[in-house]
Amino acid sequence: MQQFKDYAGSVYGGLGHLLYAYCQAHGLLICEKLQQVQNQERFEFSLWREILDDIHRQTRHTALGLDIAESVQPRHLGIIAYIAQSCDTLGEALSRYHDFHRLIYDGSPLQVEARGDYLSIRWQALPAHLATQITDEIAIALMAKFLQHVMELEDIRIHEVKFIHPAPEDVLFYERYFHCRVRFSQPQSELIFPASVLLMPIRHADQTLQKLLMQQATTLLEKLPHSTQLDERLQQSILKGLQKNNHQIQQIAEQMHLSVRQLQRHLQQQNTTYQQRVQQVRQLLAVQYLQDPHLSLQQIALLLNYSEQSAFQRAFKLWTGLTPLQWRQQNIA
């Protein structure tokens, strides 16, 4: 699989078509970047942000993301929209959306979480240079319109919407749009629904079609390159987990706001396993610790969460061909 060193996420080409149609409908100048992505299956998220910024400069629309989302059609979201439409219930559709959301935007993990009588749908925070008020708005508004219009669930009721960015002058505009309370300057952007929506039936359910579409979606998902952002977060989570003796895959996945299945799939795409990644992090730490002459081999073994020093020695020799003592003597000398 092709790897991209600075890969920071991509979006489905259909979203480029959505922006093109919006510009045409409103008589806006179609910038060169927007022209270029019309024939691309996917394009970088940074380009998506730049095109949105260009449209905003032309319109100065207070809630541009909400306005753009009004025009969304299944073709703009691709195969994931058709999979969702073939499900029996909204709960099943959200589960499928969760599994394949990278096909729409690959880079910021989607989190669907039950909180008592409510259901939260949110995205992991993006780096500051990629996330803007407009990207947050359009992500939230696209999800809301996807459920209401694409899924033909006009009766669905949103309990609350939260945005990271500060409140605009006209908060009521947002509340009229979502038909619920909208809060700003929150820790994360998210949609909150009553948990009862999970049981809502879908009119055009077709399990046979769903299986065929999921096979296609799985193939498309496997073609996506890995995100170095996700790998860096995984390494940091394992580092912290080793320090606290809290590094089982279930615990690490939860910290990263991923399901175990999502994390395992990500690692499989790189032909590795979770245990191999843990060992890689242990090796990095071991080399750092061995350079400190004040740490004994027994202390290092404990810091790396080995129950016995002998287990650490065996692992280190597999990594380097040397015992920890031999490596320390050679490198410190």
Side-chain angles (χ1 to χ4, degrees):
M1 182 183 299
Q2 186 181 7
Q3 306 295 322
F4 293 83
K5 182 179 178 183
D6 298 317
Y7 181 67
S10 63
V11 299
Y12 176 59
L15 292 178
H17 301 161
L18 173 63
L19 298 188
Y20 192 96
Y22 180 84
C23 288
Q24 281 191 318
H26 291 78
L28 303 178
L29 177 66
I30 296 174
C31 67
E32 184 179 351
K33 291 176 181 177
L34 182 53
Q35 290 276 12
Q36 291 173 350
V37 302
Q38 294 310 299
N39 296 319
Q40 295 181 19
E41 184 179 348
R42 306 190 67 82
F43 57 96
E44 291 183 2
F45 186 86
S46 57
L47 194 54
W48 164 252
R49 185 212 64 204
E50 290 169 12
I51 294 170
L52 285 171
D53 286 344
D54 179 80
I55 295 173
H56 185 247
R57 281 191 291 270
Q58 294 189 61
T59 64
R60 292 297 171 189
H61 196 296
T62 305
L64 178 62
L66 310 190
D67 201 33
I68 292 173
E70 280 293 305
S71 306
V72 68
Q73 300 292 327
R75 65 179 183 276
H76 298 135
L77 304 178
I79 194 169
I80 196 169
Y82 301 108
I83 289 175
Q85 287 178 315
S86 68
C87 293
D88 289 323
T89 64
L90 179 56
E92 185 183 20
L94 285 175
S95 177
R96 299 289 178 254
Y97 194 98
H98 181 271
D99 288 343
F100 296 108
H101 72 274
R102 290 181 63 210
L103 296 179
I104 297 178
Y105 166 55
D106 174 39
S108 182
L110 179 74
Q111 177 99 16
V112 180
E113 180 183 50
R115 297 178 186 167
D117 295 332
Y118 295 98
L119 181 74
S120 164
I121 300 177
R122 65 182 185 272
W123 288 262
Q124 185 73 22
L126 283 165
H129 71 284
L130 289 178
T132 66
Q133 174 180 334
I134 304 172
T135 59
D136 277 357
E137 276 184 5
I138 199 167
I140 292 290
L142 280 174
M143 172 60 82
K145 293 305 170 185
F146 169 77
L147 295 175
Q148 291 170 341
H149 298 322
V150 177
M151 301 298 294
E152 299 183 15
L153 298 172
E154 291 87 354
D155 295 333
I156 194 170
R157 291 289 176 265
I158 303 171
H159 174 70
E160 189 174 52
V161 175
K162 297 180 181 180
F163 286 110
I164 294 174
H165 58 264
E169 292 182 6
D170 189 3
V171 173
L172 286 177
F173 177 85
Y174 287 78
E175 295 189 338
R176 287 193 298 268
Y177 184 93
F178 290 107
H179 302 288
C180 68
R181 181 185 180 189
V182 180
R183 299 169 63 188
F184 297 86
S185 299
Q186 298 300 300
Q188 55 202 6
S189 295
E190 62 181 329
L191 281 163
I192 300 176
F193 296 90
S196 57
V197 302
L198 294 174
L199 300 177
M200 293 182 74
I202 295 171
R203 299 176 188 174
H204 308 296
D206 186 333
Q207 289 293 318
T208 301
L209 175 62
Q210 183 189 151
K211 289 178 182 177
L212 292 172
L213 292 172
M214 285 179 61
Q215 289 174 1
Q216 295 178 35
T218 300
T219 301
L220 290 170
L221 198 62
E222 289 171 351
K223 292 179 180 178
L224 291 181
H226 77 283
S227 167
T228 54
Q229 290 178 17
L230 186 57
D231 289 319
E232 289 168 3
R233 287 172 48 223
L234 174 58
Q235 179 168 309
Q236 290 302 314
S237 295
I238 294 174
L239 280 168
K240 293 176 183 177
L242 286 169
Q243 293 168 358
K244 299 177 181 179
N245 193 21
N246 187 26
H247 63 280
Q248 299 304 310
I249 188 169
Q250 294 86 354
Q251 298 160 332
I252 297 299
E254 184 177 348
Q255 290 173 26
M256 296 177 67
H257 303 295
L258 298 173
S259 66
V260 172
R261 183 180 174 188
Q262 280 181 305
L263 180 54
Q264 288 175 330
R265 184 189 299 124
H266 172 75
L267 294 168
Q268 287 168 0
Q269 289 169 355
Q270 299 179 63
N271 297 316
T272 188
T273 66
Y274 178 72
Q275 285 305 318
Q276 287 173 325
R277 289 305 304 271
V278 170
Q279 292 300 83
Q280 289 169 4
V281 174
R282 273 177 160 160
Q283 183 179 350
L284 288 171
L285 286 173
V287 168
Q288 291 180 18
Y289 291 149
L290 285 169
Q291 294 177 56
D292 184 345
H294 301 292
L295 288 175
S296 69
L297 297 184
Q298 184 176 3
Q299 288 172 321
I300 293 174
L302 290 173
L303 287 169
L304 296 175
N305 266 290
Y306 284 103
S307 56
E308 297 178 357
Q309 182 180 330
S310 58
F312 164 53
Q313 291 177 318
R314 287 194 299 271
F316 194 86
K317 191 162 187 179
L318 283 174
W319 300 333
T320 66
L322 301 172
T323 66
L325 182 59
Q326 289 170 333
W327 190 95
R328 172 174 266 179
Q329 289 172 338
Q330 288 185 18
N331 285 273
I332 290 182

